[in-house]
Amino acid sequence: ACVRSNSNRAAISHLHRQLYGRRYPLLLVNTDGSTVRLRYSEPKRILMLPLDSSTLPEAERKARLRRHFPSKPKPKEEETFEGIDLDTYKKFWKK
C-alpha cells in the first residue's frame, strides 16, 4: 500500500499530523464567564474550562447533575376499554 504525500491527498482528507506548525487564535472561556483570547496549537475556535462542582452550592450542584443525567422515562399505562360505551361507536362499524 503506497501512500502519496502530495496536495491531492490533502484535498480528499485531512492532514495526518500530531503537531501543527503554527499557532491559531482561540477564545478561552473561564468558569466565571470571562473570556481571554490566546494562541493555541490546534485549530479550534472556542475552549471552555470545566466547572468545579465542589465550589457550587448544593442546590445548583444537584440541578446540574439532574440535567446531565436525566431520569429514565416512566412506562406509560395502556388504555383500557372498560369505561367506554361501545354502542356510541357502533355506526362506524357498519359497512
Side-chain angles (χ1 to χ4, degrees):
C2 180
V3 177
R4 291 186 177 183
S5 298
N6 58 17
S7 62
N8 295 331
R9 180 176 179 266
I12 295 172
S13 69
H14 66 280
L15 294 176
H16 302 282
R17 60 173 75 159
Q18 296 294 324
L19 297 174
Y20 292 90
R22 57 177 286 219
R23 299 284 182 159
Y24 298 90
L26 175 84
L27 184 68
L28 178 69
V29 180
N30 292 323
T31 56
D32 59 353
S34 62
T35 59
V36 178
R37 293 197 175 270
L38 51 95
R39 309 290 285 175
Y40 195 64
S41 60
E42 295 180 16
K44 294 183 179 182
R45 296 218 183 248
I46 191 167
L47 183 68
M48 296 180 70
L49 292 177
L51 184 65
D52 187 15
S53 62
S54 63
T55 60
L56 293 175
E58 188 69 22
E60 189 174 341
R61 187 176 63 82
K62 286 185 178 181
R64 289 180 66 87
L65 284 174
R66 264 188 259 116
R67 276 193 306 247
H68 285 338
F69 305 106
S71 61
K72 295 179 181 176
K74 296 178 182 175
K76 296 180 180 178
E77 295 181 12
E78 295 184 14
E79 295 183 13
T80 58
F81 297 106
E82 295 172 358
I84 298 175
D85 184 21
L86 296 178
D87 291 332
T88 59
Y89 299 103
K90 197 170 192 174
K91 61 184 175 185
F92 297 115
W93 298 337
K94 293 182 181 178
K95 290 186 180 181

